[in-house]
Amino acid sequence: MIPVQIKICGITNTKDARACAELGAQVIGLNFYPQSPRYIDRSVGRQIVEALPADTEAVGVFVGGNTDEIRTTAKAAGVRSVQLHGNFSPEIAHELAREFRVIRVFSTHARFRPEDVSPFSDCDVLIDAHHPDLRGGTGRTCNWSAARATLAFARFLILSGGLNAQNVGAAIQAVVPNAVDVCSGVEKAPGVKDHRAIKNFVTAVRRSKRVADASSFQ
């Protein structure tokens, strides 16, 4: 079986970042969207990145913006991966993919079609729940059937949206993602992580069963 990677988003301080790494997360997310309750500036982002073990990846989360703004913030914070929420074109994603790992976010709103991810062939894909105002961290569960159907069009699929220790095992069996992403499901408050909840989430992921050859479901 292929192990499912774990990404914990909305990290706001070095203590929580180190705990994520120590408890088994391979990736953390740093939110550079000023309207988010989990927003941090790039100087705090740099402190968090420098506190991480070398084998833990930090992803900068962006909502809108142009390539120059994203590039400047990402480099100042020291992140080598960027997560894009909003109406980013394949051309912008491709340009950023020359320098960064790019994670393009799609939400399972009524108009979403799995084939919508096809033009972003040089990006990883994150499938999240739809919210009319918020971008991530909503606690809403996405459409698992739509996420599963997206496997046929994505090179690497990250499942997000309302995940927690209680439902992540079922989500992995239903969707067969390459990675799972959690935010509010391991928090005491927005931007304040619950280390026990993180431990329980990681344990639940490790206990889940992901079929090694996801193509058998496509």
Side-chain angles (χ1 to χ4, degrees):
M1 292 185 292
I2 301 172
V4 177
Q5 291 188 11
I6 299 170
K7 176 175 176 285
I8 300 179
C9 207
I11 302 301
T12 61
N13 58 77
T14 56
K15 181 180 179 181
D16 286 349
R18 291 193 189 101
C20 288
E22 291 169 2
L23 292 170
Q26 292 85 18
V27 185
I28 66 165
L30 308 177
N31 198 317
F32 297 120
Y33 178 47
Q35 297 181 43
S36 170
R38 302 171 183 87
Y39 167 75
I40 58 172
D41 64 33
R42 57 195 189 186
S43 63
V44 174
R46 169 68 72 170
Q47 294 172 10
I48 293 172
V49 170
E50 291 178 347
L52 289 173
D55 59 351
T56 304
E57 179 183 357
V59 176
V61 177
F62 298 89
V63 179
N66 60 50
T67 54
D68 289 338
E69 293 170 342
I70 293 169
R71 184 183 293 111
T72 298
T73 298
K75 289 188 174 181
V79 300
R80 291 177 290 181
S81 302
V82 296
Q83 180 172 308
L84 307 180
H85 294 252
N87 297 319
F88 286 96
S89 68
E91 291 74 23
I92 290 177
H94 177 71
E95 181 180 346
L96 288 168
R98 296 172 180 172
E99 300 177 67
F100 305 97
R101 175 194 182 189
V102 176
I103 301 171
R104 177 64 161 84
V105 179
F106 293 84
S107 63
T108 54
H109 52 70
R111 300 179 307 280
F112 172 74
R113 299 292 180 268
E115 57 268 26
D116 292 345
V117 312
S118 295
F120 297 87
S121 58
D122 49 3
C123 302
D124 296 340
V125 170
L126 185 147
I127 300 295
D128 200 357
H130 174 66
H131 190 284
D133 303 311
L134 303 178
R135 298 294 181 268
T138 67
R140 294 187 176 188
T141 303
C142 79
N143 183 324
W144 289 354
S145 296
R148 174 116 169 205
T150 307
L151 280 171
F153 305 95
R155 69 178 189 183
F156 188 94
L157 184 71
I158 305 167
L159 178 66
S160 188
L163 297 179
N164 53 52
Q166 288 69 47
N167 67 10
V168 71
I172 290 171
Q173 290 190 19
V175 179
V176 200
N178 301 102
V180 290
D181 175 278
V182 65
C183 185
S184 61
V186 292
E187 286 184 329
K188 299 177 182 177
V192 182
K193 299 307 181 190
D194 183 328
H195 296 185
R196 181 179 293 275
I198 293 172
K199 182 179 180 180
N200 291 341
F201 184 84
V202 172
T203 298
V205 172
R206 288 174 174 168
R207 287 176 177 170
S208 66
K209 295 181 180 179
R210 181 185 187 276
V211 177
D213 184 6
S215 64
S216 61
F217 294 95
Q218 297 173 9

